[in-house]
């Protein structure tokens, strides 16, 4: 059992409204889920809730979901420091658009005041590079995918984002990080060299039809990253279901990785580990998905909570920063 590409990526953000505006109005993704972080109940019960916002295609299918954890309350505004992208992190998120769409996106982003670099080319595909509202590195690649885009957003269907293309990882040691990717079943398929900067090694999830590329950008003298807004917290790879997740977990444990227990994330089940560089990696099940607690029509408009937080709903809702979707 190997993973079949990316399930989701999770990033920090400094402000929930700016985050909604950038990812829905500029990139044209759909906000598919408004909830709070489940992973640290102390933040919810004893301190301040942290938003967890999910964006993707119509139902946030695996391979399309980018998630952010902006502050949830006025008291926590500014509490998340600005991060610095560097080694030991996922250093860029990359989305897929159809062939011939890069010029549209260059104009669109420029019109929204975003500074765009490119078109460039990596492993034969054209791309643009830019940063989101918090300085998080984002790439848009022309490429093939089986993802249907969200078409009720501001971007015409012919150019709309079709989920992830992949992610860039900046390792401390490219061989060790490559080993972790190989333990997940990914295969190295090519190398490119950037004079005086670093070298790229591309990994692909064999047989995957979407969100399948991981590029290791090996920059030995680059500084170490620090966590905070403008950085990616983790990349999650996908498997079909819990049984497959259990198999992948056992294989990783057999290879010597310290893997967490299986965790119920309501919309998927997950395990987590770190590669030897400290890069946070998750493996998540495609089932049951974001339609488990609201219909495709309803998605993203109201705060959804796990069962154990429902009795705190009123208190949570009274404290959360209002966001206009
Ligand atoms: Zn995750």
């Amino acid at each position: 059992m190997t993973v079949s590409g990316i399930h989701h990526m999770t990033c920090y953000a400094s402000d929930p409204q700016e985050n909604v505006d950038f990812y829905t109005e500029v990139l044209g993704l759909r906000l598919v889920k408004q909830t709070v972080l489940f992973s640290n109940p102390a933040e919810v019960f004893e301190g301040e809730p942290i938003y967890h916002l999910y964006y993707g295609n119509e139902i946030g299918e695996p391979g399309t979901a980018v998630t952010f954890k902006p502050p949830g309350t006025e008291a926590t505004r500014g509490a998340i420091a600005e991060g610095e992208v560097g080694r030991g992190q996922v250093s860029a998120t990359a989305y897929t658009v159809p062939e011939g769409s890069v010029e549209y996106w260059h104009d669109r982003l420029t019109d929204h005041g975003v500074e765009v670099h490119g078109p460039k080319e990596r492993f034969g595909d054209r791309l643009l590079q830019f940063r989101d509202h918090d300085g998080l590195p984002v790439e848009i690649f022309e490429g093939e995918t089986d993802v249907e885009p969200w078409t009720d957003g501001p971007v015409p269907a012919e150019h709309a984002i079709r989920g992830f293309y992949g992610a860039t990882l900046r390792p401390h040691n490219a061989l060790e990080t490559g080993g972790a990717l190989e333990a997940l079943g990914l295969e190295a398929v090519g190398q490119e060299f950037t004079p005086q900067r670093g070298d790229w090694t591309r990994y692909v999830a064999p047989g995957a039809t979407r969100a399948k590329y991981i590029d290791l950008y090996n920059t030995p003298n680059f500084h170490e990253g620090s966590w905070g807004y403008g950085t990616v917290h983790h990349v999650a790879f996908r498997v079909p279901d819990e049984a497959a997740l259990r198999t992948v977990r056992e294989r990783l444990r057999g290879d010597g990785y310290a893997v967490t227990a299986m965790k119920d994330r309501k919309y998927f089940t997950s395990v987590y580990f770190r590669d030897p560089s400290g890069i946070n990696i998750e493996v998540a099940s495609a089932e049951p998905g974001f339609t488990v607690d609201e219909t495709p029509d309803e998605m993203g408009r109201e705060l959804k909570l796990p069962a154990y937080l429902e009795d705190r709903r009123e208190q949570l809702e009274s404290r959360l920063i209002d966001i206009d979707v």
Side-chain angles (χ1 to χ4, degrees):
M1 172 56 66
T2 61
V3 300
S4 52
I6 294 169
H7 181 284
H8 67 270
M9 283 193 263
T10 295
C11 318
Y12 294 97
S14 62
D15 179 83
Q17 187 68 58
E18 285 180 23
N19 191 243
V20 168
D21 292 346
F22 188 86
Y23 283 89
T24 64
E25 294 299 318
V26 181
L27 294 192
L29 303 180
R30 185 183 192 193
L31 177 65
V32 293
K33 196 67 67 183
Q34 282 188 51
T35 184
V36 294
L37 273 195
F38 301 175
S39 56
N40 187 353
E43 285 177 325
V44 176
F45 286 118
E46 292 157 27
E48 301 292 327
I50 303 293
Y51 265 124
H52 201 180
L53 306 178
Y54 293 73
Y55 307 87
N57 69 351
E58 185 186 5
I59 59 165
E61 286 173 26
T64 76
V66 62
T67 95
F68 289 86
K69 359 189 222 188
T73 62
E74 291 298 340
T76 58
R77 266 191 206 282
I80 300 174
E82 183 173 6
E84 191 174 19
V85 176
R87 289 194 292 152
Q89 289 178 336
V90 178
S91 58
T93 57
Y95 300 89
T96 308
V97 296
E99 296 289 334
S101 291
V102 148
E103 282 73 22
Y104 167 85
W105 278 97
H106 192 287
D107 290 349
R108 177 177 180 78
L109 292 163
T110 304
D111 288 348
H112 279 86
V114 177
E115 185 181 332
V116 188
H117 301 279
K120 302 178 177 183
E121 205 173 292
R122 192 185 310 150
F123 295 105
D125 284 342
R126 294 202 306 160
L127 73 144
L128 300 175
Q129 294 178 311
F130 54 98
R131 290 172 181 268
D132 80 356
H133 59 101
D134 279 329
L136 187 143
V138 183
E139 298 176 330
I140 283 183
F141 274 83
E142 291 179 349
E144 296 282 326
T145 176
D146 64 353
V147 169
E148 293 293 328
W150 169 240
T151 54
D152 273 4
V155 180
E158 60 186 305
H159 297 305
I161 284 175
R162 285 149 166 80
F164 289 124
Y165 177 90
T168 298
L169 275 50
R170 280 201 190 230
H172 282 290
N173 179 321
L175 286 177
E176 287 181 346
T177 301
L181 297 176
E182 283 163 10
L184 290 163
L186 274 66
E187 293 173 358
V189 290
Q191 277 204 308
E192 281 187 5
F193 298 92
T194 317
Q196 294 169 353
R197 289 204 182 158
D199 56 89
W200 297 86
T201 306
R202 170 156 291 190
Y203 286 78
V204 65
T209 51
R210 58 175 70 179
K212 61 185 174 186
Y213 296 118
I214 298 292
D215 289 342
L216 291 197
Y217 188 27
N218 189 29
T219 52
N221 297 316
F222 203 69
H223 60 262
E224 182 157 3
S226 61
W227 305 111
Y229 67 81
T231 66
V232 181
H233 182 260
H234 63 260
V235 58
F237 293 96
R238 68 183 184 275
V239 292
D241 51 30
E242 276 193 37
L245 185 62
R246 201 165 283 119
T247 305
V248 169
R249 180 173 183 273
E250 286 312 306
R251 177 175 166 177
L252 288 168
R253 281 165 56 90
D255 284 350
Y257 295 98
V259 189
T260 67
M262 309 257 288
K263 294 186 190 282
D264 177 5
R265 297 302 189 215
K266 185 171 182 180
Y267 310 110
F268 42 86
T269 305
S270 292
V271 300
Y272 302 82
F273 71 104
R274 287 184 167 198
D275 95 309
S277 291
I279 298 172
N280 291 318
I281 298 175
E282 174 180 350
V283 185
S285 63
E287 294 176 347
F290 298 111
T291 51
V292 73
D293 61 357
E294 51 190 342
T295 67
D297 282 352
E298 297 166 335
M299 288 174 83
R301 295 197 198 124
E302 289 182 3
L303 182 72
K304 306 308 286 186
L305 293 171
Y308 77 95
L309 287 177
E310 272 299 343
D311 60 344
R312 304 286 297 269
R313 172 177 285 275
E314 220 169 285
Q315 188 200 351
L316 281 171
E317 282 185 336
S318 71
R319 289 160 67 207
L320 283 169
I321 297 167
D322 280 335
I323 48 179
D324 178 10
V325 298

